[in-house]
Amino acid sequence: MQPCALDVASSMGVDETFNIRQGEGPESLGCDESVEAAGAVASLQVVLDATRRGGAVVQLGILPRDAVSISLSELGLRELTVFGSQRFETELDEAVELLAEHKFLAEVIRHDLPLAEAGAAFAMALDSAASSKVLIKVGALEA
């Protein structure tokens, strides 16, 4: 995970973030609920390991379609509940309402460019080290 994404998560109130690519891991191995949002197999195993016995894990990131290797024995031995969740299908309306109610969530949007600069916006969005979400303004909205 890129430092920019970790900063955004922290600014939104996430209790703990870490970069497993840099050998970092959770400070506590007793999380009640954990969310894997990167869509990386290595990340999923770290999240499973960090969740306490009887805890819950939400698999939010889109994992590769290929077979993956994780320690399934831990699910039963530690009585973990794992939920799968598809992003941005049924919860979009609720997410928009949440963003409208909680201004601190605006931290997610790092760049806001006009349609004429769409090429630059897409280039920015590709650079996950410098951007979280990039918006392209298609038309002017009146406040």
Side-chain angles (χ1 to χ4, degrees), residues 6-28:
L6 298 175
D7 290 343
V8 169
S10 293
S11 72
M12 293 174 55
V14 170
D15 292 334
E16 183 179 358
T17 63
F18 48 88
N19 188 333
I20 62 170
R21 288 185 181 168
Q22 294 178 350
E24 298 173 2
E27 290 179 19
S28 166

Side-chain angles (χ1 to χ4, degrees), residues 37-129:
V41 176
S43 176
L44 175 58
Q45 188 63 58
V46 169
V47 168
L48 290 169
D49 291 345
T51 306
R52 69 161 176 80
R53 182 183 179 121
V57 174
V58 176
Q59 177 56 48
L60 183 61
I62 307 299
L63 290 168
R65 185 171 175 86
D66 302 334
V68 298
S69 178
I70 60 169
S71 179
L72 290 176
S73 64
E74 290 298 307
L75 297 180
L77 291 172
R78 294 194 9 248
E79 300 175 330
L80 298 176
T81 301
V82 179
F83 297 95
S85 181
Q86 173 63 39
R87 292 187 281 192
F88 307 121
E89 184 176 309
T90 58
E91 72 277 358
L92 189 55
D93 292 339
E94 184 178 341
V96 170
E97 289 173 19
L98 184 66
L99 287 170
E101 291 173 15
H102 301 284
K103 301 300 180 191
F104 71 92
L105 293 177
E107 283 291 317
V108 173
I109 301 168
R110 290 294 172 103
H111 304 285
D112 186 341
L113 300 171
L115 183 59
E117 297 178 37
F122 281 106
M124 232 178 254
L126 283 173
D127 183 5
S128 62

